[in-house]
Amino acid sequence: MRMAANNVEAKYNHEKDTLMKTTLGRITACMLSAALLLSTMLTTLPALAHHNAPAVADKAAAPYSGSAFAPDGALWSLQLNAQGHLALHISGDNGRNWLPERILDTGSDHIKTSGESPPKIAFGPNGIVIIIYAQPLAKKFTGEIRMLRSTDGGAHFAAPVTLHQDRQVISHSYAAMSFDAKGALHTVWIDSRDKAAITSANEAAEKAGLPKTDYRGVSLYRNISLDGGASFGPDTKLSDYSCECCRIAVTPTADGQIAALWRHLTLPNIRDHAFTLLSAATPAATTAAPLADPVRASFDNWAIDGCPHHGPALTTSAAGGYHAVWFGDRAGVAQVRYGKLDQAGNPVGTVQVLPDAKAEHADILSSGSKLAIVWRSYDGTKMNLKAWISDDDGQHFKLREIASSKLESDYPQLLNKGGKIYVIWNTTGKRHVEIL
């Protein structure tokens, strides 16, 4: 990223204490080497100084949160409290006032959160509420996806269960979920089972003097529940070569399906993005056969042997197709970009950089012809929440500055309630909720 050296140093120093506590090894969990990432951070990727490495629940009450509007209009927000418990906060007046926190019973689970992987909430039909979160396993950089389920609108939750069938001590993480128009629950996650198998095979091949298989990144897996999370179909591979530590974007489509966008590797090391449609009508609902190859959705041609911890966001367009935002390095310019995709996920039109060279971790959401993009941006002394608003489906935008904080902050999230777009931005001690 083309930034002045003093801006790089300011951003780095702002996060230095956090980096020292979590260690470079944790930040670069998905890198080929810590040295490579450090070099990248101090040169072409200064924005990564703000990318929060996964934090274990009992070490700090980080403001990483997942939020959603309930069917009755109440705003629900989940985060870990200072004791590392999963706390539910509910507001009946769009964030102006909040009820006392409610501690959810997660048994003996040890919860891990990060800006790219906060706890998540989804409301389904007939009073179904699904909450998912990550639990680390015994080995470093491994985990499983845990689920809480309610059938009475959240009044009670059953004991936590593991969402996927695979029980290997490997990485199952960065999950995203959404109910489609027919009530089927789709979950997608990053999974290292294929990477682990190939790594083991390569070790045997090396001992035997045989060629090794080049496998970059990890895999993307999915499953489907047709009964509101009571049971799930098989773990099905969606794609090889996913980036290891970037969030996955999912959004309902105009025809009732679910679309997914994620950071994808084109061998050997191009980290752009890929798109696919998820449908309960596809063969993946009943078999473990992989779907067709995903569609390449961005062409920054960013060559980097490491995960930037910076996933995309996706929403539908009133004119058909989709709007997307993502972070990438294009011809030496590392910045958050906005672009449009057709109904198949192919990029169309001109890609634009956001009007803020320091923008990071953007979200995007549409409601009819209204389109909102939000992000956070560090100015050297404080983190700022900004928005780019369009009333004509992305043809023209107006910049708006919403809030700022000198304390730790989450990534902003956009929500729809009654056709109106809201942004929620969680900072230490305060949840900023604004209608856009």
Side-chain angles (χ1 to χ4, degrees):
M1 185 177 291
R2 296 174 178 172
M3 288 184 178
N6 60 334
N7 286 336
V8 177
E9 183 178 357
K11 294 191 76 177
Y12 179 78
N13 288 337
H14 178 74
E15 293 281 317
K16 184 170 63 177
D17 289 342
T18 302
L19 292 170
M20 291 296 291
K21 291 178 181 178
T22 58
T23 77
L24 284 173
R26 184 180 296 274
I27 294 172
T28 57
C30 308
M31 303 301 180
L32 294 183
S33 70
L36 173 62
L37 178 63
L38 180 60
S39 175
T40 304
M41 287 171 61
L42 297 177
T43 54
T44 62
L45 291 177
L48 289 181
H50 278 295
H51 294 183
N52 295 286
V56 176
D58 59 4
K59 290 190 176 179
Y64 310 133
S65 63
S67 304
F69 279 110
D72 65 359
L75 177 58
W76 289 31
S77 186
L78 279 171
Q79 72 178 93
L80 299 181
N81 65 11
Q83 291 73 43
H85 299 137
L86 188 60
L88 173 62
H89 304 264
I90 298 178
S91 171
D93 55 7
N94 300 326
R96 289 187 294 275
N97 298 282
W98 295 84
L99 297 175
E101 71 176 24
R102 172 186 168 190
I103 304 302
L104 300 180
D105 186 359
T106 58
S108 60
D109 285 0
H110 186 60
I111 302 172
K112 181 175 71 174
T113 67
S114 72
E116 291 291 287
S117 182
K120 296 180 176 68
I121 314 168
F123 293 95
N126 305 316
I128 298 293
V129 185
I130 303 294
I131 290 172
I132 60 174
Y133 54 87
Q135 174 174 240
L137 297 175
K139 295 181 181 179
K140 196 173 184 180
F141 309 135
T142 64
E144 61 185 356
I145 303 158
R146 301 285 279 172
M147 180 186 76
L148 298 175
R149 179 175 181 264
S150 172
T151 59
D152 56 10
H156 306 88
F157 285 90
V161 297
T162 299
L163 182 143
H164 42 84
Q165 294 182 0
D166 185 64
R167 295 294 193 271
Q168 296 180 73
V169 183
I170 58 171
S171 177
H172 315 85
S173 56
Y174 300 90
M177 65 175 174
S178 183
F179 284 94
D180 67 19
K182 295 182 179 180
L185 175 62
H186 301 257
T187 309
V188 185
W189 66 91
I190 290 171
D191 193 297
S192 67
R193 70 185 74 178
D194 299 298
K195 178 78 169 185
I198 290 174
T199 298
S200 178
N202 281 342
E203 290 172 354
E206 184 174 22
K207 291 179 181 179
L210 299 174
K212 295 190 293 184
T213 300
D214 185 13
Y215 191 95
R216 305 294 180 95
V218 287
S219 305
L220 216 61
Y221 273 74
R222 65 174 295 208
N223 63 19
I224 300 172
S225 173
L226 301 179
D227 53 14
S231 63
F232 289 87
D235 299 352
T236 303
K237 182 156 65 172
L238 190 61
S239 176
D240 284 305
Y241 312 127
S242 164
C243 200
E244 301 93 331
C245 305
C246 287
R247 71 187 183 194
I248 303 162
V250 293
T251 189
T253 68
D255 61 357
Q257 301 182 79
I258 302 298
L261 182 71
W262 66 95
R263 190 178 294 280
H264 187 77
L265 275 77
T266 301
L267 296 180
N269 64 345
I270 301 298
R271 295 188 184 238
D272 276 315
H273 294 83
F275 171 97
T276 197
L277 287 173
L278 309 175
S279 170
T282 63
T286 55
T287 75
L291 301 178
D293 289 341
V295 175
R296 185 169 177 177
S298 68
F299 286 83
D300 292 339
N301 290 313
W302 187 13
I304 177 174
D305 283 320
C307 177
H309 291 254
H310 207 145
L314 183 70
T315 192
T316 54
S317 168
Y322 304 88
H323 303 280
V325 288
W326 66 91
F327 176 78
D329 187 305
R330 178 177 292 198
V333 179
Q335 201 161 337
V336 178
R337 293 176 170 81
Y338 157 70
K340 295 183 179 181
L341 310 177
D342 65 18
Q343 292 183 339
N346 298 291
V348 293
T350 302
V351 173
Q352 303 177 59
V353 295
L354 298 193
D356 182 351
K358 301 177 184 177
E360 59 181 40
H361 304 294
D363 196 11
I364 190 167
L365 186 64
S366 64
S367 179
S369 60
K370 184 159 189 175
L371 178 66
I373 302 172
V374 294
W375 64 91
R376 67 177 199 175
S377 176
Y378 183 63
D379 64 10
T381 61
K382 63 185 182 303
M383 194 69 79
N384 301 287
L385 175 64
K386 299 183 181 182
W388 216 20
I389 310 297
S390 171
D391 293 317
D392 54 11
D393 200 39
Q395 296 183 53
H396 305 88
F397 286 92
K398 291 183 179 178
L399 181 63
R400 179 177 166 187
E401 297 190 7
I402 300 173
S404 64
S405 177
K406 292 186 177 181
L407 302 176
E408 290 298 314
S409 67
D410 195 9
Y411 306 160
Q413 182 183 358
L414 289 168
L415 303 170
N416 189 317
K417 177 184 176 181
K420 296 181 179 180
I421 299 176
Y422 291 78
V423 59
I424 179 168
W425 186 45
N426 199 22
T427 64
T428 300
K430 181 176 177 58
R431 295 179 193 84
H432 303 264
V433 183
E434 299 283 345
I435 188 169
L436 302 177

